[in-house]
Amino acid sequence: MKNSITLRTDTPLDLDATLGCGQAFRWEKGADGTWSGTARGRAIQIRQDGKTLSFTGADEAFITDYFALDLDLDEVLSSIDTDPAIHRAVAACRGLRILRQEPFETLISYICATNTNIPAVKKRVRLLSERYGTPLPGGAHAFPDAAALAPCSEDALRACVLGYRAPYVCATAQMCADDPEWAARVADLPYQEAKTELLRFPGVGPKAADCILLFAFQQYRAFPVDVWIRRIMRRTYLPHLREHGGMGSREYEEIASFARRHFGKYAGWAQEYLYCVREDE
């Protein structure tokens, strides 16, 4: 039986932008417009028809929380709408929301996301789930928890096409299994201390840490910088930056610090909106 939510005028949601923008790796859109995916151990199907969300596999409270429908998006967007570039992004993508994802899955997913593309990350996460996660209705699988992944050998994880990331996932899963309160501890820390804590995990660099903080811990000051965001920030805000060549830690921090000053406490939302219109750059 399908559940449904009628969105209020002051609760905008663009389901396609939210699930298709690359922040989560377990969602696929069907030909009929229905999105199928897993979130926090649930197999969910959801579609949007105007102001109506129809879904199975979860209740209204879960959908409201996962999609952050209880957050005043208009307040967030008016806070970051500080210049013509972000204004265009907000106008084009209004309704994109940052999901509230499960911390361990997000941690491992963004270790799997280093130096690669979204289809490859989706494949890695899917294989990890199929091999080590709990089966769910409809043939889906939940993402495995730390206790399920910790005993896995590096060779076994390489079979999930993790490549050089396999030892990082092995070690990180073991650290999380040995310290079940890690996520609660990170959640209680301010941004910079939380980021330092995440950087302890093997395979987690500054960008992965910022992604994890933004998508799993609602640390909206986090501003992940990838090649697309670097290009947008250079062309729009920081023209003195080099156009080519690798991005070092000093340049990363210069871009992220500028963004936090320029966009304020919701800088991470600005990042998502700028990323959403990256193809226009």
Side-chain angles (χ1 to χ4, degrees):
M1 180 178 179
K2 282 191 175 182
N3 298 314
S4 66
I5 295 174
T6 301
L7 299 168
R8 301 195 311 266
T9 303
D10 61 354
T11 311
L13 172 68
D14 185 329
L15 187 67
D16 288 349
T18 298
L19 294 179
C21 70
Q23 61 178 307
F25 304 109
R26 303 299 307 279
W27 293 94
E28 299 292 342
K29 186 179 181 181
D32 67 345
T34 298
W35 287 87
S36 299
T38 67
R40 302 187 206 158
R42 294 166 172 81
I44 299 170
Q45 291 192 320
I46 186 168
R47 64 173 288 133
Q48 181 173 12
D49 297 287
K51 290 292 183 181
T52 301
L53 285 180
S54 304
F55 50 91
T56 61
D59 59 17
E60 180 175 344
F62 181 92
I63 295 297
T64 297
D65 183 67
Y66 182 70
F67 287 95
L69 297 177
D70 53 350
L71 187 70
D72 187 341
L73 186 59
D74 286 339
E75 176 188 344
V76 172
L77 298 183
S78 60
S79 173
I80 64 173
D81 193 356
T82 56
D83 62 72
I86 191 64
H87 182 78
R88 286 192 297 272
V90 166
C93 306
R94 186 174 182 270
L96 185 160
R97 288 178 178 265
I98 293 179
L99 302 169
R100 293 170 177 156
Q101 300 184 56
E102 195 279 322
F104 180 70
E105 177 175 354
T106 309
L107 170 61
I108 298 299
S109 295
Y110 277 93
I111 292 175
C112 292
T114 55
N115 300 315
T116 192
N117 55 42
I118 290 174
V121 185
K122 286 186 172 185
K123 183 176 182 179
R124 293 180 187 122
V125 173
R126 176 178 56 80
L127 289 172
L128 286 171
S129 301
E130 289 174 353
R131 297 187 184 196
Y132 304 109
T134 303
L136 298 173
H141 290 77
F143 191 82
D145 61 15
L149 277 187
C152 299
S153 68
E154 292 180 19
D155 285 344
L157 293 181
R158 282 194 177 90
C160 297
V161 296
L162 267 62
Y164 72 87
R165 305 163 192 83
Y168 300 152
V169 171
C170 257
T172 294
Q174 188 63 62
M175 289 171 67
C176 292
D178 292 342
D179 181 15
E181 299 303 314
W182 74 272
R185 187 170 62 254
V186 170
D188 286 340
L189 294 173
Y191 165 71
Q192 196 58 58
E193 292 177 37
K195 185 171 181 177
T196 299
E197 188 75 8
L198 288 178
L199 289 170
R200 295 187 311 110
F201 290 110
V204 175
K207 175 182 176 284
D210 278 330
C211 287
I212 297 159
L213 288 171
L214 182 59
F215 302 135
F217 291 97
Q218 292 76 62
Q219 285 274 11
Y220 296 140
R221 292 178 60 79
F223 190 87
V225 183
D226 65 0
V227 293
W228 288 101
I229 292 298
R230 179 195 189 195
R231 184 178 305 162
I232 292 168
M233 296 300 288
R234 189 195 69 80
R235 294 181 178 177
T236 308
Y237 303 102
L238 300 169
H240 66 279
L241 296 178
R242 294 175 304 133
E243 184 165 7
H244 303 292
M247 177 172 53
S249 58
R250 181 177 297 182
E251 183 179 337
Y252 183 101
E253 188 52 40
E254 179 183 357
I255 295 170
S257 295
F258 170 85
R260 283 190 284 276
R261 292 193 304 271
H262 186 71
F263 296 115
K265 65 180 180 178
Y266 294 117
W269 286 79
Q271 190 270 6
E272 280 300 283
Y273 274 76
L274 291 170
Y275 185 80
C276 187
V277 296
R278 65 193 181 280
E279 301 290 354
D280 298 334
E281 291 297 317

